[in-house]
Structure formats: C-alpha cells, structure tokens
Amino acid sequence: KEQADYILDGMVDSVRYPGLSYGEWDRAVELRAEVLFSFKMIDRKTGKVFLQADERKWQESFRANKNAATTERNKRESLQEIAEHIAENMYVQLSYRFSHKDEPGMKMDFPAKTETSD
C-alpha cells in the first residue's frame, strides 16, 4: 500500500432480488439482482479523489426455477455478470481518465463524479 500511486476503495452497499414477473400462485418466474455500490480512487501523493462513484446501481435479471439449486445458480451467475460489467466499466473509465488526466474539465461516463486538481 505504501508504494501505490493510487488507492482504490469500494463497497457493496446493498444487494436486492425483487421479482419481475410472476406465474401461477403468484410465484416469481423472473427476478432481478440489484447491486448498489460505491467506490473511489485516491491519488496517494496529493490525497485528492481521482475518480469517484457514489451509490451506483447495476442490475441483471435471472430466471427462477422450481429447483432451488437452479435458482441459486442463476442468481450467482447474475451477480457474476454484474461484477464483470462493473469491473469492465471501471477499467475503461480509469484507462480513459489516466490517458486524459491533464485535460481540465474532463467528464466521466460511469456515471461517476470526478474531482479535478486545481
């Protein structure tokens, strides 16, 4: 940590599984995994926030099944998809931010809030 130029800090604020569609006897047929997360990257030398995203939500739907193990597998797969999308988006935004970090007023498309150095 002491040798890092930047420190990435983040958390999963919440995970929910609301129903999307229902079948016979009001049984959920399709659910949605919703992950609320936050992160920030800090320039260790200056202590300034380089990139920040507060309370962002990513969601992915999945099928429910009469077999609980299948439903659980589908849920895990949807969470994996969410994690991959978040990581890929962070990678793209960080790559862009690092390659344009000296441009004043540069905006991110995470959507994320950034602070530029004065």
Side-chain angles (χ1 to χ4, degrees):
K1 185 175 179 177
E2 293 77 29
Q3 296 175 352
D5 293 328
Y6 297 89
I7 297 175
L8 179 62
D9 182 25
M11 72 169 50
V12 173
D13 301 310
S14 68
V15 179
R16 295 183 48 228
Y17 304 101
L20 286 179
S21 62
Y22 297 87
E24 199 173 341
W25 297 295
D26 287 333
R27 193 175 172 148
V29 176
E30 186 176 15
L31 298 117
R32 177 173 47 219
E34 295 179 350
V35 176
L36 184 67
F37 65 97
S38 304
F39 74 87
K40 64 181 171 182
M41 180 172 273
I42 300 169
D43 183 328
R44 203 175 130 281
K45 293 175 189 168
T46 65
K48 291 190 177 198
V49 174
F50 183 70
L51 178 66
Q52 181 172 349
D54 295 320
E55 295 186 353
R56 301 295 184 222
K57 183 179 2 177
W58 211 290
Q59 53 196 25
E60 191 76 34
S61 62
F62 64 95
R63 301 282 299 168
N65 191 289
K66 291 179 182 179
N67 181 324
T70 301
T71 299
E72 186 63 29
R73 185 190 74 230
N74 293 346
K75 182 194 301 185
R76 281 194 315 270
E77 287 174 358
S78 70
L79 291 173
Q80 181 66 35
E81 286 279 324
I82 290 170
E84 288 174 9
H85 286 296
I86 292 170
E88 181 178 357
N89 200 288
M90 284 178 71
Y91 172 78
V92 169
Q93 297 304 323
L94 287 171
S95 295
Y96 185 81
R97 181 79 166 113
F98 280 122
S99 65
H100 293 83
K101 70 180 185 177
D102 295 327
E103 292 182 19
M106 199 276 306
K107 301 285 185 196
M108 300 302 291
D109 189 26
F110 190 59
K113 181 176 88 177
T114 61
E115 295 181 13
T116 55
S117 56
D118 297 329

